[in-house]
Amino acid sequence: MATLRIAVWNANGLNQRTQEINLFLRTYNIDVLLVSETHVTDRSHINIPHYAIYHTPHPDKKAHGGTAAIVRRNLKHHLGTAYSEEHIQATSIVLEDQMGEITVTAVYSPPKHNIKTIEYEQFFQTLGHRFIAGGDYNAKKHVLGRQNNYNQRARTPQRHAET
């Protein structure tokens, strides 16, 4: 596989941003776009020429939250396992390169949930041993430059990475 161009986009509503996303994909020659906060339902239909679009709605099936993976059709890929819980929604595609399969996942985590380390571990275990998981985790640092001023969600993945 040649160089892969992956971008992450928080759409805050995918349907009304389709033209903007199409222009972005063409302008920057993006192969895979990981979209969070799509507000897409099972009844939504989005079309972008030369790209396959896979989406995972919020589990209540209403138009909020959700994710999408937009992948160039000529890339060898298949849809991975969708993950749709109140605290994390994720859409995964699986690409193949010289080293084997790699899962590329769009993630959205609504800010109202206090996610525990075990919940992150359970989610990441669904992605396999090689993955890229990009999106909106809603982990915010309140004051730049102060290491101990993260919200709880911003600290949890860091602690997980150190263990």
Side-chain angles (χ1 to χ4, degrees):
M1 177 186 310
T3 301
L4 189 64
R5 295 181 63 92
I6 300 173
V8 179
W9 185 303
N10 186 322
N12 196 16
L14 186 58
N15 287 333
Q16 65 268 32
R17 305 249 190 296
T18 303
Q19 288 181 338
E20 183 180 359
I21 288 172
N22 187 14
L23 178 62
F24 176 79
L25 292 168
R26 287 183 292 128
T27 301
Y28 295 101
N29 199 27
I30 302 297
D31 297 304
V32 179
L33 182 62
L34 304 176
V35 185
S36 58
E37 211 169 351
T38 59
H39 303 177
V40 172
T41 68
D42 287 335
R43 295 178 302 254
S44 301
H45 178 74
I46 300 152
N47 184 33
I48 297 175
H50 311 293
Y51 286 86
I53 302 172
Y54 306 99
H55 67 90
T56 303
H58 189 278
D60 69 9
K61 308 296 184 200
K62 294 181 181 169
H64 63 106
T67 58
I70 303 173
V71 58
R72 194 182 300 275
R73 287 191 189 277
N74 65 354
L75 287 177
K76 184 176 179 181
H77 72 279
H78 65 272
L79 181 62
T81 304
Y83 194 90
S84 185
E85 300 290 335
E86 289 283 329
H87 61 286
I88 298 175
Q89 294 102 57
T91 305
S92 295
I93 59 164
V94 180
L95 301 168
E96 185 138 345
D97 66 10
Q98 307 88 309
M99 296 174 55
E101 291 186 339
I102 183 166
T103 302
V104 181
T105 303
V107 178
Y108 178 65
S109 185
K112 69 180 180 178
H113 299 282
N114 183 15
I115 302 173
K116 308 287 186 236
T117 299
I118 188 71
E119 293 170 313
Y120 280 116
E121 289 172 349
Q122 290 168 343
F123 165 63
F124 289 130
Q125 286 174 358
T126 69
L127 303 179
H129 69 282
R130 288 182 67 218
F131 64 87
I132 298 169
D136 187 354
Y137 289 85
N138 273 298
K140 299 191 177 21
K141 186 170 181 183
H142 298 291
V143 178
L144 294 175
R146 296 199 50 202
Q147 293 299 321
N148 61 353
N149 201 12
Y150 289 91
N151 69 3
Q152 178 61 32
R153 190 174 296 184
R155 285 190 301 267
T156 301
Q158 181 180 5
R159 269 190 267 138
H160 175 67
E162 292 170 355
T163 60

